[in-house]
């Protein structure tokens, strides 16, 4: 087993993690990013972003490549594709054990992000990869000239539904309310799209099919009417849950599991910070994750410096 020691270890290689890595390394802290998958986080799957300052339009993968190149410039150590066995945030130093290595650090910055919520209906788990998908950019091309449904009413749901119209012949947008939560500019674009059909006041009760998805059982929440909708695929975008499985319970969290921090991104545990989508925050965007990472890293470095002064 390999053994590593760093001043700061960042869990997660998305925008928050990379920004934290850049700021920590520039603060002269030995820094490493550990991720359970490839680096880049969720934005790597975004077809395009048009609200990240400095780029009127840029592909998500391209933007995250630029983040990674910037981190490389300052010598941030990277450990992608790590199977994490355990995380001990309460010990000093903090200890992260993976399948092949043991990492120790004076500080840990949690930037593990969040994952899509499940609908929790019959057929959902059974048909993942066979008609149920949580990434339109990843799987949209499989639905060329087919009919699909998107569930949700926020920016992600509406934007992904519009993206799917590039491939599908028809896209249903199913929403449990009678109005969308998405930004007005996003709504305006959606309402002008001829391939989009809105199914209001409706929830999905079941996903049906044989080898692949072929229909949904839906219910109108106002009338109680139940009907069957023929589709070849379904993309749920109903919210997110934090990726905290490896350390949940060691730090203060809200009812959904999101990590509670102060304005410096400090958690309830000394030397542990949380940034981006994994923490309690009023807005989850690439830019806010990156700014969180900057703040968290600056204060993580201050914590490291304070420890070193005491031990000198």
């Amino acid at each position: 087993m390999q053994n590593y020691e760093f001043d700061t270890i960042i869990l997660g290689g998305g925008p928050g993690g990379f920004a934290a890595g850049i700021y920590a390394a520039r603060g002269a802290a030995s820094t490493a990013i550990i991720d359970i998958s490839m680096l880049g986080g969720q934005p790597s799957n975004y077809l395009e972003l048009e609200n990240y300052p400095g780029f009127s339009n840029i592909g998500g993968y391209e933007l995250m490549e630029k983040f990674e190149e910037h981190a490389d410039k300052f010598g941030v150590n990277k450990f992608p594709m790590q199977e994490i066995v355990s995380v001990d945030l309460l010990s000093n130093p903090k200890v992260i054990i993976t399948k092949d290595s043991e990492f120790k650090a004076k500080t840990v910055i949690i930037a593990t992000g969040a994952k899509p919520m499940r609908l929790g209906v019959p057929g959902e788990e059974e048909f993942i990869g066979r008609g149920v998908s949580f990434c339109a950019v990843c799987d949209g091309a499989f639905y060329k000239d087919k009919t699909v449904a998107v569930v949700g009413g926020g920016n992600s749901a509406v934007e992904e539904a519009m993206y799917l119209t590039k491939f599908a012949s028809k896209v249903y947008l199913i929403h449990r309310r009678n109005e969308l939560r998405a930004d007005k500019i996003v709504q305006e674009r959606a309402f002008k799209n001829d391939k989009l059909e809105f199914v209001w006041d409706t929830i999905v009760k079941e996903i049906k099919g044989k080898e692949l998805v072929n229909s949904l059982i839906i219910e109108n929440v106002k009338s109680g009417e139940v009907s069957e909708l023929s589709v070849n695929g379904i993309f749920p975008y109903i919210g997110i849950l934090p990726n905290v499985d490896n350390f949940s319970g060691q730090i203060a969290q809200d009812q959904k599991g999101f990590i509670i921090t102060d304005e410096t991104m400090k958690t309830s545990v000394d030397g542990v910070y949380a940034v981006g989508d994994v923490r309690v925050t009023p807005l989850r965007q690439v830019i806010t994750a990156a700014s969180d990472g900057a703040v968290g890293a600056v204060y993580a470095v201050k914590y490291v410096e304070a420890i070193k002064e005491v031990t000198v």
Side-chain angles (χ1 to χ4, degrees):
M1 178 173 280
Q2 293 286 320
N3 293 288
Y4 300 94
E5 290 193 23
F6 296 96
D7 290 329
T8 300
I9 285 179
I10 300 157
L11 296 178
F18 272 126
I22 291 165
Y23 271 76
R26 287 187 74 250
S30 59
T31 305
I33 294 175
I34 300 173
D35 203 310
I36 62 173
S37 59
M38 297 301 292
L39 301 176
Q42 285 190 48
S44 294
N45 294 321
Y46 298 167
L47 178 68
E48 59 186 22
L49 292 91
E50 58 180 17
N51 59 359
Y52 193 84
F55 302 96
S56 59
N57 188 290
I58 188 171
Y61 185 82
E62 182 184 357
L63 179 63
M64 294 319 300
E65 277 190 320
K66 292 181 181 296
F67 271 57
E68 186 169 359
E69 289 168 4
H70 199 161
D72 289 343
K73 176 183 176 181
F74 292 108
V76 176
N77 296 272
K78 301 179 297 186
F79 297 88
M81 304 301 292
Q82 296 291 310
E83 183 179 335
I84 294 178
V85 176
S86 65
V87 175
D88 186 351
L89 301 175
L90 301 178
S91 62
N92 285 304
K94 320 300 180 187
V95 181
I96 295 102
I97 296 175
T98 70
K99 187 176 181 181
D100 303 310
S101 305
E102 180 179 273
F103 298 85
K104 292 183 178 179
K106 297 178 178 67
T107 61
V108 169
I109 300 175
I110 301 168
T112 48
K115 58 194 171 189
M117 288 178 63
R118 300 291 203 256
L119 294 170
V121 300
E124 182 176 30
E125 297 296 324
E126 176 186 349
F127 287 108
I128 288 178
R130 295 189 295 125
V132 174
S133 172
F134 299 92
C135 179
V137 173
C138 309
D139 299 330
F142 294 120
Y143 296 93
K144 185 174 176 59
D145 298 325
K146 296 184 178 180
T147 301
V148 299
V150 173
V151 183
N155 282 335
S156 294
V158 179
E159 288 172 351
E160 298 302 288
M162 286 192 290
Y163 173 74
L164 287 166
T165 63
K166 297 181 182 213
F167 305 99
S169 57
K170 188 177 189 64
V171 178
Y172 293 104
L173 184 61
I174 302 171
H175 187 38
R176 66 185 302 129
R177 298 180 178 86
N178 61 2
E179 60 181 7
L180 301 173
R181 292 179 288 105
D183 295 340
K184 293 301 180 184
I185 189 171
V186 176
Q187 292 189 39
E188 288 169 4
R189 291 174 186 167
F191 292 139
K192 292 176 182 177
N193 194 313
D194 293 336
K195 285 188 176 181
L196 265 179
E197 181 174 331
F198 296 86
V199 185
W200 304 110
D201 301 315
T202 297
I203 59 173
V204 176
K205 299 289 288 182
E206 184 179 355
I207 300 169
K208 299 182 70 174
K210 292 181 180 179
E211 293 300 315
L212 302 170
V213 168
N214 57 36
S215 69
L216 307 175
I217 302 300
I218 59 176
E219 179 184 350
N220 186 292
V221 295
K222 289 186 175 178
S223 68
E225 179 184 356
V226 176
S227 58
E228 190 165 0
L229 185 67
S230 293
V231 298
N232 304 109
I234 177 173
F235 293 77
Y237 285 94
I238 59 170
I240 58 172
L241 290 173
N243 291 315
V244 292
D245 292 347
N246 290 309
F247 45 81
S248 186
Q250 296 184 46
I251 48 182
Q253 297 162 263
D254 72 4
Q255 290 183 336
K256 290 185 177 180
F258 289 98
I259 299 170
I260 298 170
T261 70
D262 65 14
E263 62 183 5
T264 69
M265 307 300 144
K266 181 184 177 299
T267 70
S268 59
V269 176
D270 288 343
V272 180
Y273 302 80
V275 304
D277 288 4
V278 74
R279 79 178 189 97
V280 176
T281 176
L283 184 63
R284 292 183 171 87
Q285 296 284 299
V286 174
I287 187 172
T288 55
S291 62
D292 280 1
V295 174
V298 165
Y299 282 89
V301 170
K302 289 180 183 292
Y303 181 84
V304 170
E305 292 170 345
I307 290 176
K308 289 181 178 179
E309 287 178 3
V310 169
T311 56
V312 169

